[in-house]
Amino acid sequence: MLDFRYHALSLAAVLCALAVGVLVGVAIGDSSLVSSAQDGLVHNLRGEVRDSQRNLQLAGQQLSEQQNLVTSFWPLAVHDLLVGKSVGIVFLGESSNEADSLVQDGVKQAGGEVKSVVAVREPLQTAALGIAPASAGHAGSTANAKLVRHFGVRIGRELVAGGRLLEHVRSKLLNSYDGQLGKLDGVVVMRSEPAGMSSEATQAAHEFESGLIAGISTEGVPAVGAEMTATEPSQVPWYKAEGLSSVDDIQNVGGRAALAFALAGYRGAFGAKSSADAQLPSVTSAPVGVLGHP
């Protein structure tokens, strides 16, 4: 005869096995569901990445085509804008072969010619130039600052029109010189911030540079301050303070086009930086005698 306890234990074992089976089944089902969801998400993300890559590639192709178009047509926009014009490049402080080449390209495409390239030696050799700092008191220092500025004005005028003083001091004033001194129809100024100099030498450089720009201006030719977008610190504020038009992105074809327009007489701050008024000058604001403007 079977014992009642045996039946109870058997029933408990069956119920326990059934419970374990249900739990295992649920666990397997949840794992499959999660795996399926993960597979679907990965598939969607891969699709989005492929679409983004195709869009990026298409955008790159369109940008390249536009850049090629601009490169091909910008010489037409400035064609003969500077025809027959002689332009000088003046580096105040450190010179740059790359910047020199870019400016020359902009002038050449507009039909002009870079006639001279000079780099002013800084700090100034004030003793050799005959403008050494005065040694007596505040009044003497003030007189010396005026002397340095007056010297800068003379040099600025002679850079444009020629003169004996510049010829006389050329080896002491200029760190490098290429081309011919003589009549210029426009000047491109490229300044680097004076660094590593004493306060007296820095002040002398500032007075000379300001005088130089004033001297160029008295000759009535366009003077343009230029730099590349990566130039730090930007010299556009200094150019504006000295009354110069400026171009801050001569490494771009648009910047070189703006440089040609500025040398033709357009006024403003042009380029890509926040200090710029516009990328390019407006044709409707053409100065007298440019592009048939009355």
Side-chain angles (χ1 to χ4, degrees):
M1 184 176 179
L2 296 175
D3 191 343
F4 175 75
R5 288 178 297 175
Y6 174 79
H7 287 289
L9 291 174
S10 298
L11 181 58
V14 170
L15 291 174
C16 183
L18 181 60
V20 171
V22 169
L23 291 174
V24 172
V26 169
I28 295 174
D30 287 344
S31 177
S32 299
L33 182 61
V34 171
S35 178
S36 177
Q38 288 178 337
D39 290 342
L41 180 60
V42 170
H43 178 75
N44 291 337
L45 289 175
R46 286 176 177 172
E48 291 179 5
V49 170
R50 285 194 297 268
D51 291 342
S52 297
Q53 289 175 335
R54 283 195 295 267
N55 292 336
L56 182 61
Q57 184 178 14
L58 180 60
Q61 291 173 348
Q62 292 175 340
L63 182 61
S64 178
E65 291 173 0
Q66 292 175 358
Q67 183 67 26
N68 291 336
L69 188 64
V70 170
T71 301
S72 299
F73 278 94
W74 84 270
L76 297 178
V78 299
H79 180 66
D80 285 349
L81 196 60
L82 300 176
V83 65
K85 304 293 186 181
S86 296
V87 176
I89 303 175
V90 179
F91 287 96
L92 298 177
E94 186 178 354
S95 61
S96 165
N97 291 333
E98 181 182 8
D100 181 357
S101 178
L102 290 169
V103 170
Q104 296 218 31
D105 177 57
V107 172
K108 179 180 178 181
Q109 295 293 349
E113 177 188 5
V114 173
K115 191 173 183 179
S116 62
V117 181
V118 303
V120 174
R121 179 182 287 112
E122 291 184 350
L124 296 172
Q125 296 183 358
T126 53
L129 293 169
I131 52 174
S135 59
H138 179 71
S141 298
T142 302
N144 179 70
K146 292 180 179 179
L147 177 62
V148 172
R149 179 177 172 82
H150 178 69
F151 175 74
V153 171
R154 283 282 305 276
I155 295 300
R157 296 182 65 178
E158 294 192 10
L159 274 171
V160 175
R164 292 184 177 181
L165 177 61
L166 180 56
E167 289 283 1
H168 180 68
V169 302
R170 185 173 68 181
S171 61
K172 303 178 184 69
L173 176 66
L174 304 180
N175 197 40
S176 63
Y177 166 77
D178 185 32
Q180 299 177 349
L181 296 175
K183 178 63 178 175
L184 296 177
D185 302 297
V187 178
V188 178
V189 179
M190 304 196 74
R191 181 180 188 260
S192 56
E193 192 73 21
M197 299 192 297
S198 66
S199 59
E200 292 81 3
T202 299
Q203 180 62 29
H206 285 167
E207 293 291 344
F208 171 79
E209 292 171 351
S210 184
L212 182 84
I213 300 304
I216 292 172
S217 299
T218 62
E219 294 300 312
V221 301
V224 185
E227 67 184 24
M228 290 183 280
T229 304
T231 299
E232 289 294 342
S234 173
Q235 297 303 304
V236 171
W238 188 86
Y239 296 142
K240 285 185 175 182
E242 296 298 329
L244 299 181
S245 293
S246 63
V247 179
D248 66 35
D249 61 341
I250 60 170
Q251 80 283 356
N252 298 327
V253 293
R256 296 197 292 283
L259 179 65
F261 279 106
L263 286 170
Y266 286 78
R267 298 284 300 170
F270 309 112
K273 295 182 180 179
S274 59
S275 54
D277 302 323
Q279 185 79 39
L280 289 166
S282 171
V283 175
T284 58
S285 63
V288 174
V290 178
L291 298 179
H293 191 75

